[in-house]
Amino acid sequence: MAQWTSAVGAAQLARQLRAQQQRPLGPGSRRPPAYRALADGIRLLVLEGRVAVAARLPAERELAVALAVSRTTVAAAYEALRAEGFLESRRGAGSWTAVPAGNPLPARGLEPLPPEALGSMIDLGCASLPAPEPWLTRAVQGALEELPPYAHTHGDYPAGLPALRQMIADRYTADGIPTMPEQIMVTTGAMGAIDAICHLFAGRGERIAVESPSYANILQLMREAGARLVPVAMEEGLGGWDLNRWRQVLRDAAPRLAYVVADFHNPTGALAGEDRRRALVDAARSAGTVLVVDETMRELHLDDVAVPRPVCAFDPAGSTVLTVGSASKAFWAGMRIGWVRAAPDVIRSLVAARAYADMGTPVLEQLAVNWLMRTGGWEEAVRLRREQARENRDALVAAVRRELPEWEFSVPAGGLTLWVRTGGLSGSRLAVAGEGVGVRVPSGPRFGVDGAFEGYVRLPFTVGGPVAEEAAQRLAQAARLVGAGAGAGMEAPRTFVA
């Protein structure tokens, strides 16, 4: 019986491997033999989670043709991987990826570290901050006081609590976009909202246009839903959307959905201007594409900058623009409350489809968010969040510029992430080397399609002060290892002692 649970094609694997090779060698380092480089490349993809564990690899002959190398090279690479425990094979069943005993399974998204690892590892993988107390405690206490009437009901509200739907609608109306509660569905976080939208609008095999780079966890969600991702390159730095490219993709590929982050984009931090927002809505409407706009970073402006009107201001009826919001970034990741703003008929379809998913969002958390928004606690909590993120951003920027002056980035005016070009080093190898020296950082390819952005990493504004200093020093240590050539074949140590 075969032990593999998925498969990776020869062409796809070849694209990912070629993207890794587009980097200069470190000073004094020599290129390894072809079979060793191939084995190291596949091994790194497995460690990074970009090739799943238990994924069937292409036959030796197929991969040799795709890479334009000899079959002997591929056979030797596979044999090396088997010897290291990263490949298993069985006659008649093929070869599939594995991890040696004692190695942690690689994460395919950006999951936070388990609590037991926090003492020895600086976590730059998860762009989330601690709760802005005392507002979390106050919100939960307020929710408990309002809970008794709801406890006498069935507790299932597939569209969300009426009071919270009304509150969210009123906030859009106050922002100049008239909104009815019938245009709002409360979800279990922004991920729950986008998952529901993808299942309703984009069945398996449908095209979804995405910014390139884009948010890693959403890309993975769409891949696992069976979508065909169509990347649309962004401008360099903080330039944001390239409208000419967007018009071309919408016209030529005719995607069913397009997913964008207009406000302090994750990972680049770009802020789309009002003219570009209007133009993208017009282009999507002309192409018949539903535009999904992620507003989870909207309130996290860290500098004195004018934030343009929401994208849905150019489609207030909500037939072309589906807006997704969340409490997770602006307030706290543990508060899993999100929402969708759309046309009433779209909301009804989403609610009807939800009966086969999670049924509804926890009542107590909805009451807590409603309490925050009703009492003004939301604004106070977000103000604290901005202050903390601003201090962390400034500390991290200063530390990285001092320790890694060859790394390049533009400092965003908001959001929670810094998108960094790593001076020609492989982001994937930096991620592996970083695990060994006590810093966890996501590499650029997690935010792209088919191996793009190998020369980048994403750094979140989640640490400050001495921890930011230490994080930059550990990143510099990882960069030295990779620059010396150690990153090509190294294995992250299985334990780390601070």
Side-chain angles (χ1 to χ4, degrees):
M1 179 178 177
Q3 301 297 307
W4 50 273
T5 58
S6 63
V8 56
Q12 177 188 356
L13 184 58
R15 285 195 300 270
Q16 291 178 294
L17 290 166
R18 289 193 186 102
Q20 287 183 344
Q21 296 166 1
Q22 294 171 1
R23 62 182 184 92
L25 289 172
S29 61
R30 297 190 306 174
R31 219 174 265 287
Y35 86 90
R36 184 70 258 175
L38 176 55
D40 290 340
I42 294 173
R43 180 174 166 277
L44 188 61
L45 291 173
V46 174
L47 285 172
E48 266 253 295
R50 291 190 285 128
V51 168
V53 176
R56 186 180 186 275
L57 294 186
E60 295 172 2
R61 189 184 303 277
E62 292 175 0
L63 187 57
V65 171
L67 291 172
V69 299
S70 71
R71 182 177 177 182
T72 302
T73 297
V74 178
Y78 279 16
E79 182 57 37
L81 289 168
R82 277 189 287 269
E84 296 164 3
F86 284 91
L87 195 69
E88 296 181 9
S89 303
R90 179 174 298 168
R91 186 178 298 276
S95 300
W96 56 91
T97 57
V99 291
N103 277 56
L105 286 174
R108 302 200 68 187
L110 303 179
E111 297 85 353
L113 279 174
E116 61 270 18
L118 294 177
S120 60
M121 187 76 68
I122 298 176
D123 186 8
L124 298 181
C126 188
S128 299
L129 290 163
E133 289 287 33
W135 293 105
L136 174 61
T137 298
R138 291 179 182 177
V140 173
Q141 290 171 342
L144 285 171
E145 292 174 1
E146 298 174 6
L147 182 61
Y150 295 93
H152 294 291
T153 73
H154 48 65
D156 287 334
Y157 296 88
L161 292 184
L164 182 55
R165 296 177 74 194
Q166 182 69 62
M167 180 62 66
I168 295 170
D170 289 346
R171 290 173 67 86
Y172 279 107
T173 299
D175 212 8
I177 307 155
T179 303
M180 305 178 293
E182 291 80 8
Q183 290 180 265
I184 303 295
M185 181 178 84
V186 180
T187 62
T188 307
M191 292 286 288
I194 294 170
D195 183 57
I197 291 169
C198 289
H199 279 88
L200 180 64
F201 284 93
R204 185 166 294 275
E206 290 275 9
R207 295 185 180 92
I208 301 180
V210 295
E211 296 153 323
S212 184
S214 187
Y215 179 37
N217 286 342
I218 294 297
L219 295 181
Q220 189 59 33
L221 182 155
M222 292 174 174
R223 290 188 190 102
E224 293 184 358
R228 298 164 60 190
L229 300 183
V230 183
V232 185
M234 297 185 71
E235 293 184 353
E236 287 290 321
L238 301 177
W241 299 331
D242 184 324
L243 265 300
N244 289 331
R245 285 176 171 152
W246 268 105
R247 290 188 183 99
Q248 181 180 353
V249 166
L250 293 174
R251 181 182 64 249
D252 296 346
R256 185 71 181 92
L257 287 179
Y259 168 76
V260 298
V261 184
D263 304 292
F264 310 118
H265 176 262
N266 185 356
T268 68
L271 177 65
E274 190 156 307
D275 289 345
R276 296 193 187 199
R277 297 175 187 228
R278 178 186 291 107
L280 185 58
V281 172
D282 290 343
R285 184 182 292 116
S286 297
T289 297
V290 175
L291 190 60
V292 182
V293 180
D294 186 333
E295 284 190 341
T296 54
M297 297 284 190
R298 179 170 176 79
E299 297 190 67
L300 293 178
H301 44 88
L302 308 183
D303 296 333
D304 186 12
V305 59
V307 180
R309 288 183 291 168
V311 177
C312 60
F314 307 104
D315 180 47
S319 56
T320 295
V321 177
L322 277 57
T323 303
V324 173
S326 172
S328 297
K329 296 297 184 185
F331 184 73
W332 184 48
M335 188 68 77
R336 305 304 304 165
I337 298 295
W339 55 85
V340 180
R341 181 198 182 276
D345 63 315
V346 173
I347 294 297
R348 286 193 295 270
S349 296
L350 287 170
V351 171
R354 189 177 194 178
Y356 305 100
D358 65 355
M359 295 294 292
T361 301
V363 170
L364 188 63
E365 292 184 28
Q366 292 187 72
L367 288 172
V369 171
N370 188 59
W371 183 93
L372 284 166
M373 291 180 172
R374 190 183 72 248
T375 62
W378 179 269
E379 284 71 23
E380 287 299 312
V382 172
R383 181 182 61 79
L384 291 175
R385 171 67 74 240
R386 292 191 194 112
E387 290 177 359
Q388 185 178 14
R390 185 185 304 114
E391 291 175 2
N392 288 355
R393 179 197 63 180
D394 295 346
L396 185 66
V397 165
V400 172
R401 281 178 170 163
R402 181 172 54 256
E403 298 293 335
L404 293 150
E406 67 279 13
W407 286 16
E408 302 172 30
F409 52 85
S410 299
V411 181
L416 289 172
T417 57
L418 196 67
W419 186 236
V420 181
R421 192 194 303 266
T422 56
L425 298 178
S426 161
S428 299
R429 286 173 169 79
L430 279 167
V432 174
E435 292 273 352
V437 298
V439 60
R440 180 174 182 258
V441 59
S443 67
R446 291 185 179 274
F447 304 87
V449 177
D450 282 340
F453 307 109
E454 185 63 57
Y456 289 81
V457 294
R458 190 195 74 171
L459 305 180
F461 310 145
T462 52
V463 297
V467 181
E469 298 276 347
E470 180 65 23
Q473 291 170 11
R474 294 184 187 186
L475 284 172
Q477 184 179 353
R480 288 192 291 272
L481 288 171
V482 175
M490 73 181 297
E491 178 176 344
R494 296 175 185 176
T495 59
F496 173 78
V497 180

